[in-house]
């Protein structure tokens, strides 16, 4: 019997609460924010007015995508988690369990890109573990942990939203998933969607950092009182991310599906691969919970910084459940935890798409 019910993807909220949450080592008073479903970062009180924020994520090594692109994902998906604090990460450690047949020159290139992306962002690589492992074939061969130090009372966490807060989303849905699919199966996407859509998707790949979105938001709204919570869009896409933020904060939500932003390239590529853009991993987009009355100022400011932003709904009392509005009709929405992106990726490989 598989540890997870669906045998893939992130652990479900139910299993997390049953297995991990009640068994998280020694309880220490200085751990302000510990393990929580939908919570991007842990926060530790350093006792000097500062806090240590830390977060972990898998690294990526996707042969069809390329070494540079894989290194970009390895660094920036970690950065996106840390960006939810309202601050930029400062340090990182990597664990790499690479395939046994991974060539030396490929490793040198891959690591060179990881170094350069970290250096560009001011992040010091402070250590880790590197090895080659027989039988390793995963596209996520290891992980990384990032750290930052900042004033404790200014560090935002994704469990800080409250009923009545407005939900703001930056950029658009399915940015990273549609980009990876296009870059991994270029001939199929060019033939079925056209070369312009393919080029748009490739350009979107390097829009998959949400660090600037978060840092700019803290310039116009006060952290924790006006900008209540942030959550980056990973597995489960926009709707999965909103569900996680609401659950972490003990809230329900009401979201208008028609307001969820999607660009032409992500929409057409998701249609080609028969997946719902609202539920696909969407790194590059940031979900923000904003005090009511402050959302317009945030959206206008971000748009002025060339960061598209949209109000898509609001947080509600938990008792009001989770509501999705489609075609003007309200209905209960339950995210099942499944992101259709990976199945689409592997099905395309099985079909021999190029």
């Amino acid at each position: 019997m598989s540890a997870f019910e669906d045998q893939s993807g992130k652990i479900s909220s139910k299993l997390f609460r049953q297995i991990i949450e009640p068994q998280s080592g020694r309880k220490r008073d200085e751990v302000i924010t510990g393990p929580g479903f939908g919570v991007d970062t842990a926060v530790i009180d350093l006792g000097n007015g500062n806090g240590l924020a830390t977060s972990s994520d898998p690294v990526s090594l996707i042969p069809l995508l390329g070494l540079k692109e894989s290194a970009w994902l390895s660094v920036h998906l970690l950065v996106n988690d840390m960006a939810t604090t309202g601050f930029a990460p400062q340090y990182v450690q990597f664990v790499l369990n690479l395939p046994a047949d991974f060539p030396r020159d490929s490793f040198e290139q891959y690591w060179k890109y990881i170094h350069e992306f970290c250096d560009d962002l001011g992040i010091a690589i402070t250590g880790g573990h590197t090895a080659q492992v027989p039988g390793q074939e995963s596209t996520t061969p290891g992980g990384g942990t990032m750290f930052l130090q900042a004033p404790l009372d200014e560090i935002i966490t994704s469990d800080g939203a409250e009923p009545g807060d407005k939900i703001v989303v930056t950029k658009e849905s399915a940015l990273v998933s549609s980009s990876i699919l296009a870059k991994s199966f270029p001939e199929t996407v060019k033939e079925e969607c056209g070369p312009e859509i393919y080029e748009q998707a490739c350009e979107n790949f390097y829009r998959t950092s949400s660090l600037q979105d978060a840092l700019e938001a803290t310039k116009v709204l006060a952290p924790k009182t006006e900008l209540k919570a942030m959550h980056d869009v990973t597995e489960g896409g926009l709707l999965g991310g909103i569900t996680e933020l609401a659950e972490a904060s003990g809230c329900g939500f009401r979201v208008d599906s028609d307001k969820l932003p999607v660009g032409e390239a992500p929409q057409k590529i998701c249609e080609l691969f028969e997946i719902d853009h609202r539920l696909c991993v969407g790194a590059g987009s940031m979900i923000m919970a904003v005090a009511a009355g402050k959302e317009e100022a945030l959206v206008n400011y971000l748009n002025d910084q060339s960061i598209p932003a949209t109000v898509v709904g609001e947080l509600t009392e938990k008792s009001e459940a989770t509501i999705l509005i489609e075609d003007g009709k309200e209905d209960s929405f339950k995210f099942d935890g499944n992101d259709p992106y990976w199945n689409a990726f592997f099905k395309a490989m099985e079909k021999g798409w190029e």
Side-chain angles (χ1 to χ4, degrees), residues 174-190:
L175 270 177
V176 72
S177 49
S178 60
S179 296
I180 292 175
L181 291 171
K183 291 170 80 68
S184 299
F185 306 99
E187 298 308 317
T188 300
V189 171
K190 288 176 188 176

Side-chain angles (χ1 to χ4, degrees), residues 4-66:
F4 295 0
E5 293 170 1
D6 59 2
Q7 300 184 330
S8 65
K10 291 195 298 187
I11 191 170
S12 68
S13 171
K14 179 181 176 181
L15 279 181
F16 181 90
R17 296 188 188 284
Q18 286 178 347
I19 299 172
I20 294 178
E21 195 168 53
Q23 301 180 98
S24 50
R26 180 63 58 88
K27 303 298 182 184
R28 300 183 64 95
D29 292 341
E30 64 269 29
V31 178
I32 306 302
T33 303
F37 190 79
V39 177
D40 293 300
T41 59
V43 180
I44 301 164
D45 185 351
L46 297 178
N48 58 0
N50 284 341
L52 178 71
T54 181
S55 182
S56 300
D57 231 11
V59 296
S60 297
L61 183 58
I62 307 172
L64 282 176
L65 187 61

